[in-house]
Amino acid sequence: MSRPSSQAQEANPDALPKQHRTYSIGELARMFEVTPRTIRFYEQEGLLAPTRQGQKRIYREKDRVRLKLTLRGKRLGFSLAEIREVVEMYDAMPDGNARQLKRLLEILADKRANLERQLEDIRLMKLEIDDVDQRAREVLRQLGDDA
Amino acid sequence: MSRPSSQAQEANPDALPKQHRTYSIGELARMFEVTPRTIRFYEQEGLLAPTRQGQKRIYREKDRVRLKLTLRGKRLGFSLAEIREVVEMYDAMPDGNARQLKRLLEILADKRANLERQLEDIRLMKLEIDDVDQRAREVLRQLGDDA
DNA sequence: GACGAGGTTTACGTTAACGTAAAGTGCTTG
DNA sequence: CAAGCACTTTACGTTAACGTAAACCTCGTC
């Protein structure tokens, strides 16, 4: 248990400013339950751009957030290409020209519409799941009351 | 505008009992904006089971509903395998044994949890879209007031 | 009876999103 | 210094969900 002033980080993640923390690829992989391969692949696809220390990738808060958003997008069925489209424009925003910005607004409106449809889909699917559930329980009841 | 008593169906879909209507593969394809290939593929994957008239596929209401549900599931990111799992159990329900029914209830609970997570994901993603949208509009404003 | 519009089967091609394996680099620890 | 661990690159493999093409049937119609 000797740790005078070494840089052992992973033990207590909340112990430091959190804003200037860095992560290794393995750390991130464990945090989000994906493989390092997946993270490297996302980089190759232009969704992440970690810096290097020698040849090792160094991830900052910004990268972690991006990964989080990417995975969220994936869970909602967006393709990596779609996600990248937004991410790239977001990055280019500060000095983006008006055309690009308007295009970005279009994309955002599009995504929003998409989300609305998903909300409706979820609502409908819940109703049907309820229905199937009901029927299943009824059949179970008639098979004997030890449900 | 001659239509004495012929069987011209597609023109006015709501004109007949609707319950005993049948559909060709092309009709369904147009209704849902998919290709016939997709519909055949779903059959091959055990998601549809149309009857035949000669060698042509005949789809009934039941099949149409299934296709609708399948596509909805897809929009929510479920794989065809997952969708089939529910569909098959639903079909086997009337005479399904207790183990199967309980398994079905498990799957349903699982799907429900999945939907809940998606709801949360959508909520969060909407917030971020709003955020990006805001920023984009601000930058646009500063570039000149002709947004 | 040629033909065009729909349908059919068979089969190979394609894309996205990684998995997996091989071979090498660099630290630190017994 | 050998071993082990975490990381790296390169490259080929895999799966799901269709697309696409070819070659055939079967109507109603001109």
Side-chain angles (χ1 to χ4, degrees):
Chain A
M1 287 236 196
S2 65
R3 203 181 39 143
S5 70
S6 168
Q7 60 275 41
Q9 306 222 356
E10 204 163 355
N12 189 354
D14 295 325
L16 35 157
K18 165 123 182 174
Q19 218 51 352
H20 306 90
R21 262 210 66 179
T22 73
Y23 308 86
S24 75
I25 195 170
E27 275 178 285
L28 278 187
R30 266 163 293 168
M31 295 180 70
F32 292 102
E33 303 185 67
V34 297
T35 68
R37 173 68 173 111
T38 297
I39 298 181
R40 290 196 198 98
F41 181 72
Y42 289 173
E43 174 179 353
Q44 174 184 330
E45 294 298 300
L47 290 167
L48 298 174
T51 59
R52 298 288 180 121
Q53 212 170 80
Q55 88 170 336
K56 290 190 177 170
R57 293 170 172 82
I58 303 293
Y59 299 87
R60 330 252 157 166
E61 257 311 285
K62 181 191 163 197
D63 300 306
R64 197 188 59 89
V65 171
R66 274 222 184 159
L67 178 53
K68 189 182 65 180
L69 296 182
T70 298
L71 294 174
R72 181 179 297 156
K74 278 226 61 189
R75 284 199 301 271
L76 292 178
F78 293 112
S79 73
L80 295 185
E82 290 175 301
I83 298 172
R84 181 184 44 208
E85 196 176 16
V86 175
V87 164
E88 278 180 354
M89 304 212 69
Y90 181 83
D91 276 9
M93 257 194 48
D95 57 329
N97 56 34
R99 251 204 344 82
Q100 277 218 337
L101 287 173
K102 290 187 180 180
R103 172 90 184 100
L104 175 56
L105 289 183
E106 276 178 34
I107 295 181
L108 293 181
D110 218 77
K111 302 282 181 205
R112 235 192 295 255
N114 210 314
L115 293 181
E116 294 302 337
R117 201 186 50 179
Q118 288 205 29
L119 280 179
E120 178 65 4
D121 280 338
I122 289 179
R123 201 178 64 77
L124 294 174
M125 183 158 288
K126 271 188 168 183
L127 289 179
E128 277 153 28
I129 287 184
D130 286 348
D131 196 57
V132 179
D133 191 297
Q134 281 280 345
R135 289 154 151 282
R137 285 180 195 282
E138 270 183 41
V139 178
L140 260 181
R141 241 190 32 208
Q142 294 211 321
L143 278 182
D145 271 346
D146 53 349
Chain B
M1 286 222 194
S2 67
R3 201 176 41 132
S5 69
S6 168
Q7 62 272 48
Q9 305 226 355
E10 206 162 351
N12 189 354
D14 295 326
L16 33 159
K18 167 122 179 173
Q19 217 52 352
H20 305 91
R21 262 210 67 178
T22 73
Y23 307 87
S24 75
I25 196 170
E27 274 179 286
L28 278 188
R30 265 164 294 169
M31 295 180 70
F32 292 103
E33 302 186 66
V34 298
T35 68
R37 172 66 172 111
T38 297
I39 298 182
R40 290 196 198 97
F41 181 72
Y42 289 173
E43 175 179 353
Q44 173 183 330
E45 293 300 300
L47 289 167
L48 298 173
T51 59
R52 298 287 179 121
Q53 213 170 79
Q55 88 172 334
K56 291 189 176 172
R57 294 170 171 82
I58 302 292
Y59 299 87
R60 330 250 156 167
E61 256 312 284
K62 182 191 162 198
D63 300 306
R64 197 189 59 90
V65 171
R66 274 224 183 157
L67 178 53
K68 187 182 66 181
L69 296 182
T70 298
L71 293 175
R72 181 179 297 155
K74 279 227 61 191
R75 284 199 300 271
L76 292 178
F78 293 111
S79 73
L80 293 184
E82 290 176 300
I83 297 172
R84 181 183 43 207
E85 196 175 17
V86 175
V87 165
E88 276 179 356
M89 304 211 71
Y90 181 83
D91 275 8
M93 256 194 48
D95 58 327
N97 57 34
R99 250 203 347 81
Q100 276 218 339
L101 287 173
K102 291 187 181 180
R103 172 90 185 100
L104 175 55
L105 289 183
E106 277 178 34
I107 295 181
L108 293 181
D110 218 76
K111 303 282 180 206
R112 234 190 298 254
N114 210 315
L115 293 181
E116 294 301 337
R117 200 186 51 178
Q118 289 205 30
L119 280 179
E120 178 65 5
D121 280 339
I122 288 179
R123 201 179 63 76
L124 295 175
M125 183 158 288
K126 271 187 169 183
L127 289 180
E128 277 153 28
I129 286 184
D130 287 346
D131 196 56
V132 179
D133 192 297
Q134 281 281 346
R135 289 155 151 282
R137 286 180 195 281
E138 271 182 39
V139 178
L140 260 182
R141 243 191 30 213
Q142 294 212 321
L143 278 183
D145 270 347
D146 54 349

PDB file of all heavy atoms in Angstrom, chain A residues 26-48:
ATOM      1  N   GLY A  26      -8.957   1.334 -22.171  1.00  0.00           N
ATOM      2  CA  GLY A  26      -9.514   0.248 -21.380  1.00  0.00           C
ATOM      3  C   GLY A  26     -10.505   0.753 -20.341  1.00  0.00           C
ATOM      4  O   GLY A  26     -11.557   0.161 -20.132  1.00  0.00           O
ATOM      5  N   GLU A  27     -10.155   1.864 -19.721  1.00  0.00           N
ATOM      6  CA  GLU A  27     -11.060   2.465 -18.734  1.00  0.00           C
ATOM      7  C   GLU A  27     -12.402   2.790 -19.356  1.00  0.00           C
ATOM      8  O   GLU A  27     -13.463   2.407 -18.845  1.00  0.00           O
ATOM      9  CB  GLU A  27     -10.434   3.756 -18.180  1.00  0.00           C
ATOM     10  CG  GLU A  27      -9.484   3.551 -17.026  1.00  0.00           C
ATOM     11  CD  GLU A  27      -8.905   4.886 -16.595  1.00  0.00           C
ATOM     12  OE1 GLU A  27      -8.019   5.404 -17.316  1.00  0.00           O
ATOM     13  OE2 GLU A  27      -9.341   5.417 -15.557  1.00  0.00           O
ATOM     14  N   LEU A  28     -12.346   3.508 -20.443  1.00  0.00           N
ATOM     15  CA  LEU A  28     -13.585   3.889 -21.118  1.00  0.00           C
ATOM     16  C   LEU A  28     -14.388   2.659 -21.511  1.00  0.00           C
ATOM     17  O   LEU A  28     -15.600   2.613 -21.343  1.00  0.00           O
ATOM     18  CB  LEU A  28     -13.274   4.728 -22.366  1.00  0.00           C
ATOM     19  CG  LEU A  28     -12.999   6.207 -22.140  1.00  0.00           C
ATOM     20  CD1 LEU A  28     -12.893   6.924 -23.465  1.00  0.00           C
ATOM     21  CD2 LEU A  28     -14.099   6.823 -21.287  1.00  0.00           C
ATOM     22  N   ALA A  29     -13.677   1.669 -22.033  1.00  0.00           N
ATOM     23  CA  ALA A  29     -14.341   0.453 -22.465  1.00  0.00           C
ATOM     24  C   ALA A  29     -15.121  -0.166 -21.305  1.00  0.00           C
ATOM     25  O   ALA A  29     -16.284  -0.547 -21.459  1.00  0.00           O
ATOM     26  CB  ALA A  29     -13.324  -0.535 -23.018  1.00  0.00           C
ATOM     27  N   ARG A  30     -14.486  -0.209 -20.151  1.00  0.00           N
ATOM     28  CA  ARG A  30     -15.183  -0.790 -19.001  1.00  0.00           C
ATOM     29  C   ARG A  30     -16.348   0.086 -18.557  1.00  0.00           C
ATOM     30  O   ARG A  30     -17.424  -0.407 -18.229  1.00  0.00           O
ATOM     31  CB  ARG A  30     -14.202  -0.990 -17.837  1.00  0.00           C
ATOM     32  CG  ARG A  30     -13.597  -2.379 -17.796  1.00  0.00           C
ATOM     33  CD  ARG A  30     -12.368  -2.417 -16.920  1.00  0.00           C
ATOM     34  NE  ARG A  30     -11.287  -1.609 -17.521  1.00  0.00           N
ATOM     35  CZ  ARG A  30     -10.177  -1.271 -16.882  1.00  0.00           C
ATOM     36  NH1 ARG A  30      -9.999  -1.647 -15.638  1.00  0.00           N
ATOM     37  NH2 ARG A  30      -9.254  -0.573 -17.491  1.00  0.00           N
ATOM     38  N   MET A  31     -16.127   1.384 -18.549  1.00  0.00           N
ATOM     39  CA  MET A  31     -17.186   2.302 -18.112  1.00  0.00           C
ATOM     40  C   MET A  31     -18.467   2.112 -18.921  1.00  0.00           C
ATOM     41  O   MET A  31     -19.567   2.138 -18.371  1.00  0.00           O
ATOM     42  CB  MET A  31     -16.728   3.750 -18.266  1.00  0.00           C
ATOM     43  CG  MET A  31     -15.569   4.128 -17.371  1.00  0.00           C
ATOM     44  SD  MET A  31     -15.105   5.871 -17.626  1.00  0.00           S
ATOM     45  CE  MET A  31     -16.514   6.700 -16.916  1.00  0.00           C
ATOM     46  N   PHE A  32     -18.300   1.925 -20.212  1.00  0.00           N
ATOM     47  CA  PHE A  32     -19.485   1.870 -21.067  1.00  0.00           C
ATOM     48  C   PHE A  32     -19.802   0.461 -21.540  1.00  0.00           C
ATOM     49  O   PHE A  32     -20.689   0.261 -22.372  1.00  0.00           O
ATOM     50  CB  PHE A  32     -19.296   2.785 -22.275  1.00  0.00           C
ATOM     51  CG  PHE A  32     -19.272   4.241 -21.916  1.00  0.00           C
ATOM     52  CD1 PHE A  32     -18.078   4.941 -21.851  1.00  0.00           C
ATOM     53  CD2 PHE A  32     -20.453   4.901 -21.607  1.00  0.00           C
ATOM     54  CE1 PHE A  32     -18.062   6.286 -21.506  1.00  0.00           C
ATOM     55  CE2 PHE A  32     -20.444   6.239 -21.274  1.00  0.00           C
ATOM     56  CZ  PHE A  32     -19.242   6.940 -21.214  1.00  0.00           C
ATOM     57  N   GLU A  33     -19.056  -0.490 -21.010  1.00  0.00           N
ATOM     58  CA  GLU A  33     -19.296  -1.890 -21.379  1.00  0.00           C
ATOM     59  C   GLU A  33     -19.252  -2.115 -22.883  1.00  0.00           C
ATOM     60  O   GLU A  33     -20.166  -2.689 -23.468  1.00  0.00           O
ATOM     61  CB  GLU A  33     -20.627  -2.375 -20.812  1.00  0.00           C
ATOM     62  CG  GLU A  33     -20.694  -2.227 -19.306  1.00  0.00           C
ATOM     63  CD  GLU A  33     -21.976  -2.833 -18.742  1.00  0.00           C
ATOM     64  OE1 GLU A  33     -22.122  -4.061 -18.808  1.00  0.00           O
ATOM     65  OE2 GLU A  33     -22.815  -2.072 -18.230  1.00  0.00           O
ATOM     66  N   VAL A  34     -18.201  -1.606 -23.484  1.00  0.00           N
ATOM     67  CA  VAL A  34     -17.920  -1.920 -24.873  1.00  0.00           C
ATOM     68  C   VAL A  34     -16.476  -2.405 -24.918  1.00  0.00           C
ATOM     69  O   VAL A  34     -15.768  -2.357 -23.916  1.00  0.00           O
ATOM     70  CB  VAL A  34     -18.083  -0.689 -25.790  1.00  0.00           C
ATOM     71  CG1 VAL A  34     -19.514  -0.195 -25.779  1.00  0.00           C
ATOM     72  CG2 VAL A  34     -17.127   0.411 -25.370  1.00  0.00           C
ATOM     73  N   THR A  35     -16.040  -2.889 -26.076  1.00  0.00           N
ATOM     74  CA  THR A  35     -14.661  -3.342 -26.191  1.00  0.00           C
ATOM     75  C   THR A  35     -13.787  -2.193 -26.701  1.00  0.00           C
ATOM     76  O   THR A  35     -14.288  -1.267 -27.343  1.00  0.00           O
ATOM     77  CB  THR A  35     -14.544  -4.506 -27.185  1.00  0.00           C
ATOM     78  OG1 THR A  35     -14.807  -4.017 -28.492  1.00  0.00           O
ATOM     79  CG2 THR A  35     -15.516  -5.608 -26.834  1.00  0.00           C
ATOM     80  N   PRO A  36     -12.498  -2.263 -26.430  1.00  0.00           N
ATOM     81  CA  PRO A  36     -11.584  -1.263 -26.991  1.00  0.00           C
ATOM     82  C   PRO A  36     -11.709  -1.193 -28.510  1.00  0.00           C
ATOM     83  O   PRO A  36     -11.624  -0.108 -29.099  1.00  0.00           O
ATOM     84  CB  PRO A  36     -10.211  -1.792 -26.581  1.00  0.00           C
ATOM     85  CG  PRO A  36     -10.464  -2.547 -25.330  1.00  0.00           C
ATOM     86  CD  PRO A  36     -11.820  -3.174 -25.504  1.00  0.00           C
ATOM     87  N   ARG A  37     -11.912  -2.324 -29.112  1.00  0.00           N
ATOM     88  CA  ARG A  37     -12.083  -2.362 -30.562  1.00  0.00           C
ATOM     89  C   ARG A  37     -13.169  -1.407 -31.029  1.00  0.00           C
ATOM     90  O   ARG A  37     -13.025  -0.679 -32.008  1.00  0.00           O
ATOM     91  CB  ARG A  37     -12.442  -3.784 -31.001  1.00  0.00           C
ATOM     92  CG  ARG A  37     -12.815  -3.921 -32.447  1.00  0.00           C
ATOM     93  CD  ARG A  37     -11.616  -3.677 -33.332  1.00  0.00           C
ATOM     94  NE  ARG A  37     -11.896  -3.957 -34.738  1.00  0.00           N
ATOM     95  CZ  ARG A  37     -11.976  -3.037 -35.677  1.00  0.00           C
ATOM     96  NH1 ARG A  37     -11.815  -1.772 -35.359  1.00  0.00           N
ATOM     97  NH2 ARG A  37     -12.197  -3.372 -36.910  1.00  0.00           N
ATOM     98  N   THR A  38     -14.261  -1.421 -30.312  1.00  0.00           N
ATOM     99  CA  THR A  38     -15.381  -0.539 -30.646  1.00  0.00           C
ATOM    100  C   THR A  38     -14.961   0.925 -30.583  1.00  0.00           C
ATOM    101  O   THR A  38     -15.248   1.704 -31.486  1.00  0.00           O
ATOM    102  CB  THR A  38     -16.538  -0.783 -29.673  1.00  0.00           C
ATOM    103  OG1 THR A  38     -16.993  -2.127 -29.841  1.00  0.00           O
ATOM    104  CG2 THR A  38     -17.691   0.166 -29.934  1.00  0.00           C
ATOM    105  N   ILE A  39     -14.227   1.266 -29.547  1.00  0.00           N
ATOM    106  CA  ILE A  39     -13.798   2.656 -29.379  1.00  0.00           C
ATOM    107  C   ILE A  39     -12.840   3.058 -30.491  1.00  0.00           C
ATOM    108  O   ILE A  39     -12.945   4.148 -31.053  1.00  0.00           O
ATOM    109  CB  ILE A  39     -13.149   2.837 -27.994  1.00  0.00           C
ATOM    110  CG1 ILE A  39     -14.200   2.530 -26.915  1.00  0.00           C
ATOM    111  CG2 ILE A  39     -12.599   4.239 -27.834  1.00  0.00           C
ATOM    112  CD1 ILE A  39     -13.702   2.691 -25.505  1.00  0.00           C
ATOM    113  N   ARG A  40     -11.906   2.161 -30.812  1.00  0.00           N
ATOM    114  CA  ARG A  40     -10.998   2.464 -31.917  1.00  0.00           C
ATOM    115  C   ARG A  40     -11.763   2.609 -33.223  1.00  0.00           C
ATOM    116  O   ARG A  40     -11.456   3.450 -34.057  1.00  0.00           O
ATOM    117  CB  ARG A  40      -9.959   1.344 -32.059  1.00  0.00           C
ATOM    118  CG  ARG A  40      -8.974   1.319 -30.917  1.00  0.00           C
ATOM    119  CD  ARG A  40      -7.742   0.484 -31.237  1.00  0.00           C
ATOM    120  NE  ARG A  40      -7.033   0.132 -30.009  1.00  0.00           N
ATOM    121  CZ  ARG A  40      -7.168  -1.036 -29.397  1.00  0.00           C
ATOM    122  NH1 ARG A  40      -7.942  -1.974 -29.904  1.00  0.00           N
ATOM    123  NH2 ARG A  40      -6.493  -1.264 -28.281  1.00  0.00           N
ATOM    124  N   PHE A  41     -12.747   1.775 -33.376  1.00  0.00           N
ATOM    125  CA  PHE A  41     -13.553   1.844 -34.601  1.00  0.00           C
ATOM    126  C   PHE A  41     -14.271   3.184 -34.705  1.00  0.00           C
ATOM    127  O   PHE A  41     -14.313   3.789 -35.772  1.00  0.00           O
ATOM    128  CB  PHE A  41     -14.561   0.698 -34.632  1.00  0.00           C
ATOM    129  CG  PHE A  41     -15.404   0.669 -35.862  1.00  0.00           C
ATOM    130  CD1 PHE A  41     -14.859   0.293 -37.082  1.00  0.00           C
ATOM    131  CD2 PHE A  41     -16.734   1.040 -35.805  1.00  0.00           C
ATOM    132  CE1 PHE A  41     -15.639   0.270 -38.230  1.00  0.00           C
ATOM    133  CE2 PHE A  41     -17.518   1.015 -36.951  1.00  0.00           C
ATOM    134  CZ  PHE A  41     -16.970   0.628 -38.161  1.00  0.00           C
ATOM    135  N   TYR A  42     -14.792   3.661 -33.630  1.00  0.00           N
ATOM    136  CA  TYR A  42     -15.476   4.950 -33.637  1.00  0.00           C
ATOM    137  C   TYR A  42     -14.500   6.069 -33.983  1.00  0.00           C
ATOM    138  O   TYR A  42     -14.861   7.028 -34.663  1.00  0.00           O
ATOM    139  CB  TYR A  42     -16.129   5.220 -32.284  1.00  0.00           C
ATOM    140  CG  TYR A  42     -17.332   4.351 -32.005  1.00  0.00           C
ATOM    141  CD1 TYR A  42     -17.960   4.356 -30.764  1.00  0.00           C
ATOM    142  CD2 TYR A  42     -17.854   3.515 -32.990  1.00  0.00           C
ATOM    143  CE1 TYR A  42     -19.066   3.563 -30.513  1.00  0.00           C
ATOM    144  CE2 TYR A  42     -18.948   2.718 -32.745  1.00  0.00           C
ATOM    145  CZ  TYR A  42     -19.549   2.738 -31.504  1.00  0.00           C
ATOM    146  OH  TYR A  42     -20.641   1.948 -31.261  1.00  0.00           O
ATOM    147  N   GLU A  43     -13.286   5.932 -33.528  1.00  0.00           N
ATOM    148  CA  GLU A  43     -12.278   6.928 -33.883  1.00  0.00           C
ATOM    149  C   GLU A  43     -12.029   6.891 -35.388  1.00  0.00           C
ATOM    150  O   GLU A  43     -12.032   7.921 -36.061  1.00  0.00           O
ATOM    151  CB  GLU A  43     -10.980   6.644 -33.131  1.00  0.00           C
ATOM    152  CG  GLU A  43      -9.843   7.560 -33.555  1.00  0.00           C
ATOM    153  CD  GLU A  43      -8.573   7.279 -32.772  1.00  0.00           C
ATOM    154  OE1 GLU A  43      -8.657   6.455 -31.823  1.00  0.00           O
ATOM    155  OE2 GLU A  43      -7.533   7.865 -33.084  1.00  0.00           O
ATOM    156  N   GLN A  44     -11.837   5.700 -35.878  1.00  0.00           N
ATOM    157  CA  GLN A  44     -11.608   5.521 -37.308  1.00  0.00           C
ATOM    158  C   GLN A  44     -12.753   6.088 -38.140  1.00  0.00           C
ATOM    159  O   GLN A  44     -12.547   6.577 -39.251  1.00  0.00           O
ATOM    160  CB  GLN A  44     -11.453   4.016 -37.560  1.00  0.00           C
ATOM    161  CG  GLN A  44     -11.359   3.624 -39.007  1.00  0.00           C
ATOM    162  CD  GLN A  44     -11.295   2.101 -39.150  1.00  0.00           C
ATOM    163  OE1 GLN A  44     -10.778   1.415 -38.263  1.00  0.00           O
ATOM    164  NE2 GLN A  44     -11.829   1.587 -40.223  1.00  0.00           N
ATOM    165  N   GLU A  45     -13.933   6.066 -37.585  1.00  0.00           N
ATOM    166  CA  GLU A  45     -15.111   6.590 -38.278  1.00  0.00           C
ATOM    167  C   GLU A  45     -15.301   8.087 -38.039  1.00  0.00           C
ATOM    168  O   GLU A  45     -16.323   8.662 -38.409  1.00  0.00           O
ATOM    169  CB  GLU A  45     -16.348   5.832 -37.841  1.00  0.00           C
ATOM    170  CG  GLU A  45     -16.351   4.379 -38.258  1.00  0.00           C
ATOM    171  CD  GLU A  45     -16.317   4.206 -39.766  1.00  0.00           C
ATOM    172  OE1 GLU A  45     -17.237   4.688 -40.438  1.00  0.00           O
ATOM    173  OE2 GLU A  45     -15.338   3.597 -40.270  1.00  0.00           O
ATOM    174  N   GLY A  46     -14.353   8.682 -37.354  1.00  0.00           N
ATOM    175  CA  GLY A  46     -14.409  10.124 -37.173  1.00  0.00           C
ATOM    176  C   GLY A  46     -15.309  10.602 -36.048  1.00  0.00           C
ATOM    177  O   GLY A  46     -15.693  11.762 -36.000  1.00  0.00           O
ATOM    178  N   LEU A  47     -15.646   9.720 -35.127  1.00  0.00           N
ATOM    179  CA  LEU A  47     -16.521  10.121 -34.028  1.00  0.00           C
ATOM    180  C   LEU A  47     -15.741  10.516 -32.788  1.00  0.00           C
ATOM    181  O   LEU A  47     -16.251  11.202 -31.908  1.00  0.00           O
ATOM    182  CB  LEU A  47     -17.479   8.987 -33.692  1.00  0.00           C
ATOM    183  CG  LEU A  47     -18.528   8.732 -34.761  1.00  0.00           C
ATOM    184  CD1 LEU A  47     -19.231   7.418 -34.533  1.00  0.00           C
ATOM    185  CD2 LEU A  47     -19.530   9.872 -34.763  1.00  0.00           C
ATOM    186  N   LEU A  48     -14.508  10.085 -32.714  1.00  0.00           N
ATOM    187  CA  LEU A  48     -13.656  10.433 -31.570  1.00  0.00           C
ATOM    188  C   LEU A  48     -12.306  10.874 -32.118  1.00  0.00           C
ATOM    189  O   LEU A  48     -11.899  10.455 -33.206  1.00  0.00           O
ATOM    190  CB  LEU A  48     -13.469   9.219 -30.650  1.00  0.00           C
ATOM    191  CG  LEU A  48     -14.723   8.639 -29.996  1.00  0.00           C
ATOM    192  CD1 LEU A  48     -14.383   7.358 -29.249  1.00  0.00           C
ATOM    193  CD2 LEU A  48     -15.348   9.658 -29.063  1.00  0.00           C
TER     194      LEU A  48
END
